[in-house]
Amino acid sequence: QKEVEQDPGPLSVPEGAIVSLNCTYSNSAFQYFMWYRQYSRKGPELLMYTYSSGNKEDGRFTAQVDKSSKYISLFIRDSQPSDSATYLCAMSFTGTASKLTFGTGTRLQVTL
Amino acid sequence: DTAVSQTPKYLVTQMGNDKSIKCEQNLGHDTMYWYKQDSKKFLKIMFSYNNKELIINETVPNRFSPKSPDKAHLNLHINSLELGDSAVYFCASSQDILAANEQFFGPGTRLTVL
């Protein structure tokens, strides 16, 4: 079993829909939770990160962390075709020599 | 200006060859990383350097040897290339080792071993 599980999709939604992307994890020591967006043939780009539990909002994006359930989510409101990409969740511990542990990514397609 | 750059972008080579990938960051960051992304898009850390010193070395074959001539550069040399080395290799950087949660990635080097 991988440390971080993510449904690979693809997830296809119409423009304007609310998108929900999720990851589950097994290691309760993770403290930082990140969402990266990766367009085809490009490098991952950090969208947002959350420390410990709670919600964080940035424009159309909202990240949620539920440490008791070991479950994190990314919501995209008013989805646009330009949101079509692979979304990778990532997690890390605090402290030095920390590293990112990634999920396998969910491919999202927003259609006109 | 490109924050994290990698060369080459594409690399096609025969099994058994030795090749290098270069990475440079102009963000003034102290920490740099190498990741491997396989055909299923799974991204896995290989190495991490902080101020030219190795701090993370995952279970990677000895054929892979990173080198950091200065804190703005982290190169990856691969000896005796194998078919299974075909993947996209990403370089990344962060402000320092405590900011590992905020990493900036390069565009990737797509390596194909024939």
Side-chain angles (χ1 to χ4, degrees), chain A residues 20-67:
Chain A
S20 171
L21 303 165
N22 311 295
C23 287
T24 58
Y25 62 96
S26 56
N27 193 333
S28 57
F30 285 130
Q31 292 282 4
Y32 283 98
F33 303 90
M34 280 66 68
W35 286 97
Y36 281 82
R37 177 175 61 196
Q38 186 176 20
Y39 290 114
S40 182
R41 299 199 170 243
K42 300 285 186 188
E45 169 196 10
L46 179 65
L47 282 174
M48 54 201 306
Y49 74 88
T50 311
Y51 175 71
S52 195
S53 280
N55 294 357
K56 189 171 186 178
E57 190 173 317
D58 184 1
R60 295 185 296 112
F61 298 89
T62 300
Q64 281 186 356
V65 174
D66 181 350
K67 289 194 75 180

Side-chain angles (χ1 to χ4, degrees), chain A residues 34 36 38 41 44 49 99, chain B residues 37 58 101 103 105 110:
Chain A
M34 280 66 68
Y36 281 82
Q38 186 176 20
R41 299 199 170 243
Y49 74 88
K99 61 177 185 178
Chain B
Q37 188 171 48
E58 289 293 286
N101 55 299
Q103 292 184 26
F105 282 77
R110 187 171 293 269

Side-chain angles (χ1 to χ4, degrees), chain A residues 62-106:
Chain A
T62 300
Q64 281 186 356
V65 174
D66 181 350
K67 289 194 75 180
S68 60
S69 304
K70 298 196 186 72
Y71 187 87
I72 70 169
S73 301
L74 178 71
F75 297 96
I76 307 174
R77 288 185 299 282
D78 187 24
S79 54
Q80 304 293 310
S82 59
D83 295 327
S84 299
T86 296
Y87 290 80
L88 301 155
C89 65
M91 307 180 186
S92 67
F93 311 112
T94 54
T96 60
S98 188
K99 61 177 185 178
L100 296 184
T101 301
F102 280 88
T104 48
T106 299

Side-chain angles (χ1 to χ4, degrees), chain B residues 63-98:
Chain B
R63 300 181 294 104
F64 290 79
S65 52
K67 278 193 173 54
S68 183
D70 55 62
K71 71 174 193 178
H73 295 84
L74 181 61
N75 304 323
L76 184 66
H77 188 75
I78 316 171
N79 288 327
S80 304
L81 278 154
E82 299 177 358
L83 293 176
D85 297 332
S86 295
V88 182
Y89 292 84
F90 287 101
C91 176
S93 72
S94 65
Q95 183 71 51
D96 51 46
I97 53 176
L98 294 178

Side-chain angles (χ1 to χ4, degrees), chain B residues 12-62:
Chain B
V12 181
T13 188
Q14 300 284 336
M15 257 188 350
N17 283 352
D18 302 338
K19 289 293 176 187
S20 290
I21 308 172
K22 295 187 175 183
C23 178
E24 176 181 1
Q25 53 93 5
N26 63 6
L27 297 166
H29 287 172
D30 287 346
T31 310
M32 296 183 73
Y33 311 81
W34 275 112
Y35 287 87
K36 179 181 181 180
Q37 188 171 48
D38 62 24
S39 57
K40 293 183 180 173
K41 292 282 195 175
F42 183 56
L43 199 58
K44 191 165 165 40
I45 183 79
M46 299 172 70
F47 301 103
S48 173
Y49 271 72
N50 185 64
N51 271 324
K52 303 193 296 175
E53 286 191 27
L54 181 68
I55 55 169
I56 292 175
N57 184 350
E58 289 293 286
T59 312
V60 178
N62 290 340

